[in-house]
Each structure stands twice: as C-alpha cells, then as structure tokens.
Amino acid sequence: MRFAIDRDFTVRTLADLVRINSINPSLEPGGPGEAEIAAYLARTLMRLGLTVDRHEPVPRRVSVVGRLPGAGPGPALMLNGHGDTVGVAGMQEPFSGAVRDGKLFARGAYDMKGSIAACLGAVKALVDAGASFRGEVLLAAVADEEDASIGTADLLTKYRVDAAIVTEPTHLDICLAHKGFVWIEVETLGRAAHGSRFDLGVDANMAMGRFLGALDRLERELRTRTPHPLVGPPSLHAAVLRGGTAPSVYAASAKLTIERRTIPGETEAGAVAEIQAIVDDLAACDPSFRATSRSLLARQPFEVSPDARVVQVVRRAGERVLGKAPAFCGQTPWMDSALLAAAGSETVVIGPTGAGAHAAEEWVDPESVLQLAAILAEAVVDYLR
C-alpha cells in the first residue's frame, strides 16, 4: 500500500525541530537537554491522535513515546530516534534550518532530527489513511543517545518492543551492523616527592609512557585482525590523559581513558583482558611498575541477519518507494539499535541522506526525509499486517 506523505507537515516539522536547542548537558555543561523538544513532540503527537507518555529517567532528560494502536492484538513495532544533539562549537548557524541547494542546515538536522520528522510524517500518513494493522506502533524520541543512552535503556524497562526500526542516518541504505565500544581507565601509580628528590619520587607519568608504548603496539595489531565484512577491524585510541600536579612534583598518579571500538563477536571482557595483559606484562618485567585498569562503560556491537523479517519488510518498502532495493551496509558509530537488539527486539537501521554529524557544518536532504517517511509507513503496515 502506498501512503501519501504530507510534505508541508513533514518539512515544517523538521524545520521546527532543528530550531530547538537540545544539546546534551552530559556533553556540554549548560546544554538544555531534551525538555523543550520533548514538549514540542508531545504536542504534535497528541494532535495526531496518539496516546503520549513522557519519561524522565533523570531531571530534564526527557523521552517521549507516542502510541498508535492497531485494530487487534499483535506485535509492537518501535520507530526510534534521539532528540539530543552534540554541541555547536564552530557552527555559524547552528539552529537556523536554512535551506540551500536542497540541503537543510542545522545542528541535529542529520543526526537525527530529520529522522524524527520522518517518523512523524510516517505516523501522520498512517492516521490520515486510516491504515489497518494489528498490534501497536511506538514512536520513541529518546534522550541521551549521544552520551550514555539512558533514554532507550529506560524505555526498554517500560515497553514491550517486538521489533524496532532505528532511524539513524544511513543515506537510505539498510544498516545490518555497527561497532560497539568499551571505555577503559588505566591508572599508573607513583610516589609524590619534591622534584629534586629522585631518590624518593616515583614518576607515574613515566610509567604511563611505558604503558602507552605497549598500547600503541596493540592498536596497530588490532587493525591487522580479520575485519568484519560490514564494519571493518576493531580499533582503539588513547582518548583522555591526565597526570601530575605541578612542575616540581613527581606525579603520584596518571590516568588514561581508552576507547576500544569492538566489532560483532567481540566482548567487553575480551577487550578489558587485552588491556590488563599489558599491565601484567609491564609489572612482570619491572616490579616498580604499578597500575590498575577498569571498565567505565561498555556498549555492545550490533548485527542483524539480512533474512530477519524486519529487514526484509524495510527492504521491500524501500524498493517500492525508491524504485530499487536499498543496499545493505554497516556503520562504525554506535547506536541505540544495539540496546534494542540485546533486549530481544528484532532491529534494523535506516535513515536519511546528509552529512556533518558532530561537525561544524551539518545538513540533511529534506527529500530523503520524505522518502524515509514513506518507507517507514509502508514498513509498519507490512510488519503489522
């Protein structure tokens, strides 16, 4: 069934969304979070006739869920997008929504307010057409995906989600896999002393230097491993390094935060064990070397079979809307799709065309937003038939 997407509504909604500052305060102190954008979305969903629930896992970090029931019992299909954005440093027009050469510019236009506008356009098309389906559509605009994903994690404790379409941008390709990550802290331990007392001081920064040398060898070795066919090899980088207190004081401690990007099939335990092995090897070679390592945060990689029903439904819808079947792809960034899949929801990712996620210039193609809305509407009815 082909659905008529309300072009004016969808494009206007996109422009309204990008003009709302929803910078994630966990990333940028003073960022307002999702309260204002959640209020806008709640009003819009209620005008469309959906039942709307607000969820605030921590103050001012708000997720909104619109619920559109079908004609009878059946599965619950979630359309998922996030309302928060990263910061706007270096951007000349972060909230303008200006359109030039067929591109709409603003922070979050691509990542991922264009996707939320498409979800709203799809749901409006279903309502306008009086579409018949079983089960329930859940439109979830979640908080905090750009940091720790407290929004989707919270919703998974409150809703049954049998299947999910995560609408992160993919250039209208179908994403079947993405990387996960583990944040690991390593602390090297020394002994504080006056800078003139080499006989008393133990330099934790020097010890960290030895650790970094070994970490560099691991980083190069990771990239020689057999790559995943869609997302490539694993990797790591030394993200944040802090050590010492003053020029004339031996550093008693140095701390390094490592980000280890994992591919499907890898685990948090395995990634942490590789780092601990470096610590153990250095201590075995030098009894004065003292260090600890611990995992700070981990998110699983994601992978779904191309034969999964939700994948095939989205591919059929894409072929009808685009005139050709969308290509399968992988993505390197982490997405909330991994949380949904880990909770048992059959999950796939498809989103609009654009560029500039987290960059100084960000844009989305409004035409691709409209195409995505049409794909989502058809996929919903096909999956819930």
Side-chain angles (χ1 to χ4, degrees):
M1 178 178 182
R2 297 302 299 271
F3 289 92
I5 301 302
D6 186 330
R7 181 186 186 91
D8 290 344
F9 166 84
T10 306
V11 174
R12 182 176 66 252
T13 298
L14 168 59
D16 288 347
L17 291 174
V18 300
R19 291 182 182 122
I20 297 172
N21 179 348
S22 56
I23 293 173
N24 189 320
S26 297
L27 302 177
E28 296 283 341
E34 302 86 3
E36 183 181 353
I37 197 168
Y40 174 94
L41 291 168
R43 291 192 300 270
T44 304
L45 289 165
M46 285 188 285
R47 284 197 294 267
L48 294 176
L50 277 68
T51 301
V52 177
D53 298 312
R54 294 175 74 260
H55 302 281
E56 197 167 351
V58 298
R60 296 189 61 78
R61 309 309 308 278
V62 186
S63 300
V64 172
V65 178
R67 306 176 71 168
L68 181 64
L77 174 62
M78 175 180 281
L79 306 180
N80 178 286
H82 63 83
D84 63 317
T85 73
V86 297
V88 298
M91 298 190 78
Q92 295 185 0
E93 46 183 2
F95 307 114
S96 74
V99 178
R100 296 188 298 274
D101 300 323
K103 302 172 181 178
L104 187 145
F105 292 82
R107 172 59 79 225
Y110 179 58
D111 182 23
M112 58 180 299
K113 295 177 181 180
S115 299
I116 295 176
C119 292
L120 287 162
V123 168
K124 186 175 189 298
L126 295 173
V127 172
D128 291 346
S132 177
F133 57 88
R134 300 179 300 109
E136 184 176 41
V137 181
L138 303 172
L139 194 165
V142 302
D144 193 52
E145 189 276 344
E146 295 290 4
D147 184 44
S149 292
I150 60 175
T152 291
D154 175 58
L155 296 187
L156 286 170
T157 69
K158 295 177 168 64
Y159 296 89
R160 174 175 63 89
V161 182
D162 297 292
I165 303 173
V166 175
T167 56
E168 289 276 8
T170 65
H171 299 269
L172 297 177
D173 292 335
I174 294 174
C175 173
L176 300 179
H178 64 67
K179 289 186 174 183
F181 67 87
V182 187
W183 293 345
I184 304 169
E185 181 185 81
V186 173
E187 181 179 15
T188 51
L189 304 172
R191 184 187 304 118
H194 192 279
S196 66
R197 295 301 304 270
F198 66 86
D199 54 324
L200 298 178
V202 177
D203 193 338
N205 289 342
M206 290 289 193
M208 183 60 78
R210 295 198 293 277
F211 176 84
L212 285 167
L215 187 69
D216 180 61
R217 291 190 288 275
L218 174 61
E219 190 276 332
R220 285 183 275 118
E221 188 270 324
L222 287 177
R223 288 185 282 117
T224 68
R225 294 182 185 177
T226 302
H228 184 276
L230 292 176
V231 304
S235 63
L236 66 79
H237 65 280
V240 181
L241 179 61
R242 297 184 178 92
T245 57
S248 61
V249 178
Y250 275 79
S253 169
K255 290 185 178 180
L256 169 68
T257 302
I258 301 162
E259 182 177 73
R260 168 70 153 82
R261 290 284 168 164
T262 54
I263 63 175
E266 292 191 306
T267 65
E268 174 188 5
V272 172
E274 290 174 338
I275 301 302
Q276 185 61 46
I278 295 176
V279 171
D280 293 343
D281 288 346
L282 290 169
C285 295
D286 179 1
S288 70
F289 180 88
R290 294 188 300 139
T292 61
S293 68
R294 65 188 180 110
S295 176
L296 301 177
L297 178 68
R299 291 287 183 256
Q300 296 180 20
F302 163 75
E303 187 169 29
V304 64
S305 167
D307 298 323
R309 182 162 175 254
V310 73
V311 174
Q312 291 301 311
V313 161
V314 170
R315 200 170 202 221
R316 286 195 297 268
E319 187 169 13
R320 289 192 293 271
V321 172
L322 303 174
K324 62 178 182 178
F328 291 141
C329 70
Q331 297 277 337
T332 52
W334 188 84
M335 308 174 194
D336 278 356
S337 43
L339 290 180
L340 288 152
S345 304
E346 190 178 73
T347 304
V348 70
V349 184
I350 186 170
T353 297
H358 301 200
E361 182 177 84
E362 181 177 357
W363 59 270
V364 72
D365 174 7
E367 292 300 322
S368 74
V369 171
L370 295 165
Q371 290 172 314
L372 176 61
I375 291 169
L376 294 174
E378 295 209 15
V380 164
V381 172
D382 192 355
Y383 193 87
L384 298 178
R385 69 177 185 271

